[in-house]
Amino acid sequence: MKSAVGSVKNNSLSLIFSEFKEITKAKLAVSVVFSSIAGYFLGAYQLNVASIALLAFGGYCMVGASNAYNQVIERDLDALMKRTKNRPIPSGRMSVKTAIGIAITLTVLGVVALYILSPKTAMFGAISIFLYTSVYTPLKTKTPLSVFVGAFPGAIPFMLGWVAATDDFGIEPGTLFMIQFFWQFPHFWALGWMLHEDYKKGGFKMLPTGKRDAGTAFQIILYTIWMIVISVVPAFGITGRLHLSIPAAILVLLAGLVMLFFALKLYENRDNASARRLMLASVTYISLIQIIYVVDKFIS
């Protein structure tokens, strides 16, 4: 009997944990934490384990809170789309009240954790939640410019790590912000291209022209080029303490050219398969260049 009770408890805990991961979009949150820690490594004069732990915890809380608020706000629209109808709220597995409670709790915990690191870090974290939930989310059904607005909170994590390490905002974290800012356009437009029909069911306007056409594909190419340019700028010695050695800059450039290749293939083919390859290339790109930046700092 005790074994059966223990099994039921374990299953219940497993289900709760599973729902928590879904409402906070755990995979996305972890990738954001990775960006923040990379930024911290770049800015820190010496590494502090407690600070890294606070940044990781606070960062996850802030992203998780944003995603939970987003799913509360979009619950009716999520129910209309194939990719989102099985999320915790539209599927009925989690109540709106519970989701809001999770979001508020994570917001408080996140702000406190980041404030312990520095008030500026907490401020940028709070700004990211506000922009994501109060500006970006409502705009998604109004205008394709929502992607531009959403790129601001989306670009904060890489920069946030530097600010957490230095308690300073200058050209270095500004450059990290711009790298991730421009990266988001080809990434999310590739995703928007793949899911265009599903997004239309929810009334979301995610592509710049509203269509999977040459205009959208061309803009993806332009933003990819800007992303590449910004990513190699630190090699020219004009971004303060943030710099790249020539070998590292070449690796970053090559990674960017690979992504540009897939952007050009999307322009040529204009199909979902090409969009998917570009989306996957973009995910690889942002993680890879962050690793290159960090490794280059410690070996050069």
Side-chain angles (χ1 to χ4, degrees), residues 19 27 35 38 48 63 73 76 79 83 94 104 118 128 145 155 196 204 208 211 219 226 233 259 265 267 276 285 291:
E19 297 305 321
K27 290 183 179 179
S35 293
N48 183 291
V63 179
I73 295 167
D76 294 332
R83 64 181 286 269
M94 181 181 291
I104 292 173
S118 79
S128 71
L145 287 174
H196 182 61
F204 293 119
K211 302 176 183 178
Q219 289 195 51
W226 274 113
V233 160
M259 192 167 154
K265 294 300 290 185
Y267 183 85
R276 177 175 175 77
Y285 173 85
I291 292 171

Side-chain angles (χ1 to χ4, degrees), residues 202-269:
F204 293 119
K205 298 174 170 57
M206 304 304 290
L207 297 179
T209 67
K211 302 176 183 178
R212 291 184 285 194
D213 59 8
T216 288
F218 183 69
Q219 289 195 51
I220 288 173
I221 291 171
L222 288 180
Y223 278 91
T224 301
I225 292 171
W226 274 113
M227 176 200 74
I228 294 170
V229 171
I230 297 298
S231 295
V232 298
V233 160
F236 295 93
I238 58 175
T239 52
R241 286 203 301 122
L242 179 67
H243 60 83
L244 277 179
S245 66
I246 297 303
I250 291 172
L251 290 176
V252 169
L253 176 61
L254 289 174
L257 291 176
V258 169
M259 192 167 154
L260 180 59
F261 169 79
F262 286 112
L264 291 168
K265 294 300 290 185
L266 176 60
Y267 183 85
E268 177 184 348
N269 299 325

Side-chain angles (χ1 to χ4, degrees), residues 2 11 15 25 39 44 46 58 77 80 90 99 101 104 124 132-133 136 141 186 193 197 199 209 215 222 232 250 281:
K2 288 183 179 179
N11 287 336
L15 287 172
K25 295 186 182 177
Q46 62 182 54
L77 300 179
L80 302 175
I104 292 173
F124 281 120
Y132 190 86
T133 59
Y136 166 67
T141 57
W193 188 296
E197 294 302 323
Y199 276 135
T209 67
L222 288 180
V232 298
I250 291 172

Side-chain angles (χ1 to χ4, degrees), residues 45-68:
Y45 290 98
Q46 62 182 54
L47 303 181
N48 183 291
V49 175
S51 295
I52 294 171
L54 280 170
L55 178 62
F57 176 76
Y60 188 99
C61 286
M62 301 301 265
V63 179
S66 295
N67 289 326

